[in-house]
Amino acid sequence: LLLVLTGKSQVLFESFDSPAFPPTGWVNTHTTGADASAVWERATTGALGGDVNGSGFFVDPHSGAGMATFRSYDFADGNGAFLASPLVNLAGRGAQIVTFWMYRDDGHTEADSVSVYINTAKSLAGAGFLGKVQRYIGNNPAESDAAGWYKYSFPISLNYNTAINY
């Protein structure tokens, strides 16, 4: 996951290249399911991306040395985690978008997904939903090409126009 928050000028860019994970100011918390180890991790070149028909496949970061990954294929159904950005000041910035790259595979049709929210607190409680991308390439938003990296963008509501946003 490569996260970029942009509008007229770039407000936040995170590549996850640094070995420190989560990066300074970010929060990584297990939220649902019985496996407390089910959290986001940093991965580098040759990371196990899951399996297709019992054979593992490997994924390199889209760009740079690192990427954020959630190994959904290693955890029981129902586990999830929350990865929150540091404070983002959107005061006086006008229209903004969240953009990220996500690797989509064609191996399993389960609805594993990444959901994007915005909030004025570092919490999902009361957060505004921006969008969702499912892991399987045939699920929403469906892609017609092969498994690989795809870029997604979600507009941020103009209601989030203060100095305190996550």
Side-chain angles (χ1 to χ4, degrees):
L1 182 69
L2 177 69
L3 178 71
V4 180
L5 182 64
T6 60
K8 292 182 181 174
S9 62
Q10 187 168 302
V11 179
L12 172 69
F13 175 83
E14 185 58 60
S15 64
F16 303 106
D17 285 347
S18 172
F21 192 87
T24 302
W26 288 72
V27 170
N28 183 14
T29 306
H30 177 258
T31 56
T32 59
D35 188 347
S37 70
V39 294
W40 287 87
E41 301 170 344
R42 177 181 180 265
T44 57
T45 301
L48 182 60
D51 69 82
V52 177
N53 299 322
S55 297
F57 69 90
F58 300 89
V59 178
D60 292 338
H62 175 267
S63 56
M67 61 185 165
T69 184
F70 184 82
R71 294 179 295 113
S72 60
Y73 51 88
D74 282 342
F75 305 121
D77 289 351
N79 278 282
F82 171 73
L83 183 63
S85 74
L87 180 71
V88 177
N89 181 349
L90 297 178
R93 298 216 179 245
Q96 299 290 310
I97 59 172
V98 174
T99 300
F100 62 96
W101 287 90
M102 183 170 166
Y103 189 89
R104 309 273 309 277
D105 72 68
D106 57 359
H108 293 280
T109 59
E110 288 86 359
D112 297 346
S113 63
V114 171
S115 293
V116 181
Y117 295 86
I118 188 165
N119 204 351
T120 55
K122 215 176 251 196
S123 165
L124 283 175
F129 178 73
L130 300 180
K132 175 175 158 179
V133 179
Q134 294 185 5
R135 174 183 151 191
Y136 177 65
I137 201 166
N139 289 349
N140 196 24
E143 300 288 355
S144 59
D145 290 333
W149 287 101
Y150 291 87
K151 184 177 180 181
Y152 298 95
S153 297
F154 299 112
I156 296 174
S157 167
L158 290 174
N159 295 335
Y160 293 94
N161 60 4
T162 67
I164 301 173
N165 300 279
Y166 300 90

